[in-house]
């Protein structure tokens, strides 16, 4: 069975993710309250061996790092992946959030989430309700556009990055493959793991 590292998993398990149902999941988070298999930070994943996972899934956690820490985390992703491994990453898209702010919507709900209404302020700085409740791991310290995020993965040595910003979700979705892949292989990955 193929394995994947589910980083910054929060309370999520593989059942709620697209494409990973038949994979062995290793959950990784900095917060012991979410009961990860491995407790640690994205910037130091030394508990995970080099080239030991076939894929890595990162949903809404890279923005919790300071900008100078982001390349460290991406280098850790690269290190733990097998040579034919890939990352599926999703994070806030600052470009689509900025458009809402320019139109005067900062604290109004943009959409409903399981945690309640989400505003541009939540997307920019982290979920205000969670941080008010004392969970400062939820604070956002950096932000991305698709070209910037893609550039960071290319600089870290990933051979291919593809995906897009999805403005209706205020999110960027991207797959980053360590190795070059044929167009057919990329289409298959996209259909399996992207929304
Ligand atoms: C917004 S939640 C996302 C949870 C889940 N992945 C999802 O998409 O619903 C962010 C998660 O990242 C974790 N996190 C924050 N900083 C982290 C770090 N430096 N290393 C590992 N996990 C971190 C938090 O503890 C939290 O579980």
């Amino acid at each position: 069975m193929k394995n994947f590292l589910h980083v910054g998993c929060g309370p999520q398990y593989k059942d709620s993710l697209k494409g990973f149902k038949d994979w062995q999941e290793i959950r990784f988070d900095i917060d012991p309250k979410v009961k990860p298999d491995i407790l640690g930070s994205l910037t130091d994943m030394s508990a995970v061996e080099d080239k030991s996972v076939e894929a890595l899934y990162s949903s809404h956690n890279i923005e919790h790092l300071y900008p100078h820490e982001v390349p460290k985390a991406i280098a850790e992703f690269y290190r733990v992946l097998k040579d034919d491994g890939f990352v599926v990453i999703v994070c806030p898209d600052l470009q689509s959030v900025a458009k809402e702010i320019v139109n005067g919507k900062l604290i109004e709900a943009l959409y409903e989430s399981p945690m309640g209404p989400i505003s541009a302020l939540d997307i920019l700085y982290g979920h205000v309700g969670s941080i008010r409740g004392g969970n400062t791991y939820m604070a956002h310290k950096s932000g991305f556009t698709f070209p910037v995020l893609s550039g960071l993965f290319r600089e870290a040595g990933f051979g291919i990055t593809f995906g897009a910003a999805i403005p209706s979700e205020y999110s960027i979705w991207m797959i980053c493959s360590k190795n070059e892949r044929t167009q057919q292989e990329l289409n298959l990955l996209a259909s399996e793991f992207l929304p």
Side-chain angles (χ1 to χ4, degrees), residues 40-145:
S41 173
L42 299 173
T43 53
D44 176 6
M45 302 186 1
S46 48
V48 185
E49 281 181 23
D50 293 4
K51 300 188 181 187
S52 60
V53 295
E54 266 128 327
L56 185 147
Y57 183 86
S58 166
S59 164
H60 290 284
N61 41 72
I62 196 152
E63 67 275 14
H64 296 279
L65 303 177
Y66 288 110
H68 71 275
E69 295 176 317
V70 171
K72 256 188 213 172
I74 299 175
E76 283 291 76
F77 294 178
Y78 191 91
R79 179 184 66 76
V80 302
L81 278 174
K82 293 187 179 178
D83 287 336
D84 58 353
F86 62 92
V87 173
V88 179
I89 183 163
V90 51
C91 71
D93 171 35
L94 288 197
Q95 234 168 342
S96 41
V97 182
K99 284 186 186 151
E100 298 288 358
I101 297 168
V102 167
N103 290 327
K105 282 192 181 170
L106 181 64
I107 55 172
E108 295 84 351
L110 298 179
Y111 66 92
E112 285 294 323
S113 84
M115 292 190 292
I118 300 295
S119 67
L121 196 67
D122 292 305
I123 300 172
L124 273 185
Y125 294 109
H127 186 240
V128 172
S130 302
I131 298 165
R132 186 191 302 123
N135 187 351
T136 50
Y137 292 132
M138 292 296 271
H140 291 181
K141 298 168 186 157
S142 60
F144 308 92
T145 59

Side-chain angles (χ1 to χ4, degrees), residues 6 22 26 60 65 101 120 156 194:
H6 185 178
D22 298 327
I26 307 161
H60 290 284
L65 303 177
I101 297 168
L194 295 184

